[in-house]
Amino acid sequence: MAPTQTPLPALSAEAEAFLAENHLCTFTTLRPDGSPHTAPVRFTWDKESGLARVMTAVTRRKARNVLAAPGSRVSVCQMAGWRWITLEGTATVSTEPARVAEGVRLYTKRFWSPPPRPPGLAVVEIRVDRVLGG
């Protein structure tokens, strides 16, 4: 039997528009000791796949936290003044060239320039199953 996927909560047109804007964002993962690690990031939202993506290097703490516990819960939060939206879900880290390329493509489309290219470039893919705010 195939695993079931939790359907993505419906996002309003206003929430989708806000997710397309360029604002301050944070990404929260859990360290191996269970304490939260929050870092500023840029992320992309792909409503067709239900994925939020964060580009990073595999050596960065956020990637190492997810690699230590694949499928762990994470969140990305975008804010502007009193407006905010948080996307929560399970995360994986990939260095697979096609997945990294898709992350780079979407990042470049949203932010009008490619992401930095550190050694060990990876994409954190977040399968969103909960939306707060917006």
Side-chain angles (χ1 to χ4, degrees), residues 12-68:
S12 68
E14 293 82 13
E16 290 285 354
F18 183 55
L19 285 169
E21 296 172 10
N22 185 359
H23 295 293
L24 180 64
C25 304
T26 60
F27 180 44
T28 301
T29 60
L30 295 177
R31 294 181 182 97
D33 69 4
S35 64
H37 172 264
T38 302
V41 297
R42 287 179 152 184
F43 75 92
T44 61
W45 166 240
D46 181 355
K47 69 179 178 179
E48 283 76 37
S49 68
L51 293 176
R53 292 178 176 91
V54 174
M55 302 305 300
T56 191
V58 293
T59 57
R60 301 299 306 237
R61 168 52 58 196
K62 56 187 155 284
R64 293 191 340 255
N65 288 343
V66 175
L67 288 167

Side-chain angles (χ1 to χ4, degrees), residues 55-133:
M55 302 305 300
T56 191
V58 293
T59 57
R60 301 299 306 237
R61 168 52 58 196
K62 56 187 155 284
R64 293 191 340 255
N65 288 343
V66 175
L67 288 167
S72 59
R73 298 214 39 99
V74 301
S75 68
V76 287
C77 180
Q78 177 169 292
M79 66 227 71
W82 293 103
R83 292 171 39 201
W84 62 274
I85 191 166
T86 297
L87 306 178
E88 295 181 0
T90 55
T92 58
V93 175
S94 179
T95 57
E96 181 183 311
R99 291 167 72 180
V100 170
E102 180 65 357
V104 168
R105 183 186 74 77
L106 292 170
Y107 182 105
T108 302
K109 180 179 175 184
R110 179 173 182 196
F111 299 110
W112 302 315
S113 65
R117 296 269 188 168
L121 184 62
V123 61
V124 178
E125 295 176 331
I126 304 154
R127 173 111 3 239
V128 176
D129 58 24
R130 183 180 299 158
V131 178
L132 305 168

